Amino acid sequence: MSTPLSPLPVIGRDDCGIAVLGRWVTAGPDDQRSVADACLAAWAEVPWPEGLLAVNCFVSTNGDTVLTYEQWSGEAELRAFDGAGDTAGREAVDRRIAAAADAERFEPFVCALHRSSVMDSRSVPTCVVITTFLFDEAETARAWSDAICHADAAQPEPTPGGISRHFLLSSDGTEVLNYSEWLDEESHRGFLENPVQTPEWRKVESFTGLTHGPGRRCLPYGGLTAPLAR
């Protein structure tokens, strides 16, 4: 039995060794809500897996995407769950979600935290932007992530409404999950429409060899955490 969780995960928690991003694309807001409800219900119904720390669910503000973010203690525990079969493993969770509404499921993205940039430790985010990127080389992926963190730190003034950015890398290092927290949607929109003009940000813009994957502004929908030890 799982325990209800506050809507946002702690990305940099020390006991998390690996994370999994799940993605479902739906026909519209009604199906989106059905899939999001099914995600939370599915995880609540299956036996809580050993090593799973928390699962959080997000819905995109444009109404077409549901994302889940799983945090695991390590890769061995994740592999055990993925191979547990159709009653207690990922197959059981996916089957419950698929029954809720017509949605396109994408292959889960397995990743681990590379580094983070915290711009505002006091404000509470209400919007999360989740984006993936594909790079030609793992070295470029790490350098690009590092350059953004450096650009944040070098700004004369913090980006209005920007709270944090977290960069997670795939096992081969060529894919990046950029998970960023914002005060609200308007803050992120303002950041894109009025880009910061500093040498550090111009260096970020100069990177080549990357492909921008799907990105969505999201709202937290709910979450579950591991049961308390007795």
Side-chain angles (χ1 to χ4, degrees), residues 17-22 68-70 72 74-76 78-79 82 90 106-113 132 168-177:
I18 199 164
V20 181
L21 180 72
T68 55
Y69 185 79
E70 307 164 24
W72 293 82
E75 187 175 355
L78 173 60
R79 284 200 306 267
D82 285 343
R90 189 169 301 280
F106 288 80
E107 192 68 21
F109 177 36
V110 180
C111 50
L113 183 63
T132 57
L168 299 96
L169 304 180
S170 61
S171 58
D172 69 355
T174 62
E175 294 180 85
V176 176
L177 167 60

Side-chain angles (χ1 to χ4, degrees), residues 6-229:
S6 59
L8 287 175
V10 179
I11 301 299
R13 58 186 295 175
D14 293 336
D15 55 352
C16 179
I18 199 164
V20 181
L21 180 72
R23 184 189 304 271
W24 291 262
V25 174
T26 67
D30 290 342
D31 284 347
Q32 182 191 50
R33 285 189 293 271
S34 295
V35 171
D37 288 338
C39 286
L40 294 173
W43 282 104
E45 290 167 4
V46 299
W48 191 261
E50 183 73 25
L52 178 60
L53 305 173
V55 181
N56 289 82
C57 183
F58 300 87
V59 292
S60 65
T61 58
N62 70 345
D64 75 353
T65 301
V66 176
L67 296 161
T68 55
Y69 185 79
E70 307 164 24
Q71 293 175 290
W72 293 82
S73 58
E75 187 175 355
E77 291 80 4
L78 173 60
R79 284 200 306 267
F81 173 73
D82 285 343
D86 62 357
T87 58
R90 189 169 301 280
E91 186 177 342
V93 171
D94 288 344
R95 186 176 63 250
R96 285 169 167 81
I97 297 170
D102 185 20
E104 182 180 4
R105 173 187 176 273
F106 288 80
E107 192 68 21
F109 177 36
V110 180
C111 50
L113 183 63
H114 169 58
R115 68 178 298 171
S116 299
S117 172
V118 178
M119 296 85 78
D120 180 354
S121 60
R122 295 183 177 181
S123 298
V124 177
T126 65
C127 176
V128 173
V129 181
I130 298 175
T131 312
T132 57
F133 298 84
L134 177 64
F135 289 79
D136 292 343
E137 298 181 359
E139 183 178 352
T140 306
R142 290 191 297 272
W144 177 81
S145 303
D146 294 343
I148 293 178
C149 292
H150 181 59
D152 277 332
Q155 284 184 210
E157 297 291 338
T159 299
I163 293 176
S164 68
R165 302 183 209 274
H166 306 274
F167 297 91
L168 299 96
L169 304 180
S170 61
S171 58
D172 69 355
T174 62
E175 294 180 85
V176 176
L177 167 60
N178 181 2
Y179 176 107
S180 62
E181 297 176 321
W182 296 82
L183 187 63
D184 48 33
E185 286 186 74
E186 290 71 24
S187 299
H188 180 252
R189 191 175 291 111
F191 169 74
L192 296 182
E193 294 174 352
N194 301 283
V196 181
Q197 298 296 325
T198 63
E200 292 80 12
W201 277 109
R202 284 192 287 273
K203 178 180 178 180
V204 172
E205 295 299 325
S206 71
F207 274 80
T208 59
L210 71 158
T211 302
H212 196 301
R216 291 291 185 270
R217 296 186 189 98
C218 299
L219 304 176
Y221 195 80
L224 300 168
T225 189
L228 298 175

